[in-house]
Amino acid sequence: LADYIELEMSKGDMWSWTPQTVAGDTKRDTKDPNILDGPQLVRYMYHDQMGGPCHEFFQTLVTPLMWFFNDRLDSTVTNIDRIKANLLFPIQGGSSEKYNSPHIDIVNPASISMVYYVNESDGDTFIFDKSCVDSPNPTNLKVVHRQSPKRGSAIIFPSNIYHASQNPINYLDRKIINFCMGVDNRSFLK
């Protein structure tokens, strides 16, 4: 499955360009010297506000990943807010300490986010010490976990926790699929 996902997501005609990794109106910590945000390519596969599935990959790539999620974590997906793929490239000034703008995926404390790593790469996922409940602004954040991409693996965390991606430095690109969803059993988060 990991081979198939990586092959399918290597097709160039599926991507749309965005000027930065988070929405333009996202609050940022302007004093954090480690923030280095750049453009990314995106493909929505499912979005509540777009009427549900919005790309053929929802059936061919995303659904099998959700089956694995249900099986391996003894939890069932109850609702989907958003599923999208992101593609990052190396950017000028990138380093192992720089990351894109910290953000949350969904305010709802019952939602979880899963970042599935499509390809072998660098460009860690940074998890910070606060949620939007603790602080409405992503300031004075401390990194509590860094997850390095490993093809076929995933990191799962509450959707309202501040987190950030990092552009690759030593690899050509970093591809992920980001799930934002509700589940019936969150015990695996402990």
Side-chain angles (χ1 to χ4, degrees):
L1 180 59
D3 290 342
Y4 177 69
I5 291 171
E6 184 174 11
L7 177 67
E8 288 299 303
M9 288 190 55
S10 295
K11 296 178 178 175
D13 61 346
M14 70 168 275
W15 300 101
S16 298
W17 182 85
T18 60
Q20 54 200 14
T21 61
V22 295
D25 60 351
T26 300
K27 294 178 183 174
R28 292 179 172 82
D29 184 352
T30 57
K31 296 179 182 174
D32 185 342
N34 291 319
I35 295 175
L36 178 66
D37 213 344
Q40 74 176 355
L41 299 179
V42 176
R43 168 55 69 191
Y44 282 94
M45 298 179 191
Y46 184 101
H47 202 294
D48 246 6
Q49 297 170 358
M50 294 176 170
C54 45
H55 194 277
E56 67 187 67
F57 285 166
F58 179 75
Q59 291 300 326
T60 59
L61 305 183
V62 170
T63 301
L65 286 173
M66 289 193 301
W67 291 336
F68 273 103
F69 173 88
N70 291 343
D71 181 61
R72 300 292 166 91
L73 297 176
D74 193 29
S75 185
T76 302
V77 175
T78 58
N79 69 288
I80 302 170
D81 296 302
R82 177 188 79 206
I83 300 172
K84 66 181 184 123
N86 294 336
L87 172 57
L88 292 173
F89 299 102
I91 58 173
Q92 186 173 6
S95 76
S96 63
E97 298 308 312
K98 301 285 185 185
Y99 44 78
N100 291 299
S101 295
H103 63 282
I104 63 161
D105 285 339
I106 304 286
V107 174
N108 183 350
S111 290
I112 64 156
S113 291
M114 179 171 75
V115 175
Y116 171 82
Y117 299 105
V118 172
N119 63 322
E120 201 67 34
S121 182
D122 58 340
D124 290 355
T125 300
F126 290 73
I127 306 295
F128 297 96
D129 62 338
K130 296 178 186 171
S131 73
C132 65
V133 174
D134 305 320
S135 175
N137 297 315
T139 56
N140 301 314
L141 298 175
K142 293 185 180 30
V143 176
V144 295
H145 182 74
R146 287 178 71 158
Q147 183 73 35
S148 296
K150 178 160 176 48
R151 186 180 79 112
S153 69
I155 182 172
I156 303 170
F157 51 90
S159 293
N160 66 356
I161 295 286
Y162 288 108
H163 61 284
S165 59
Q166 180 184 59
N167 290 72
I169 299 164
N170 300 309
Y171 284 79
L172 178 64
D173 61 28
R174 174 189 187 266
K175 294 183 193 93
I176 62 104
I177 301 175
N178 174 238
F179 296 73
C180 299
M181 56 196 174
V183 295
D184 66 351
N185 175 8
R186 294 169 45 105
S187 64
F188 57 84
L189 288 175
K190 295 179 173 100

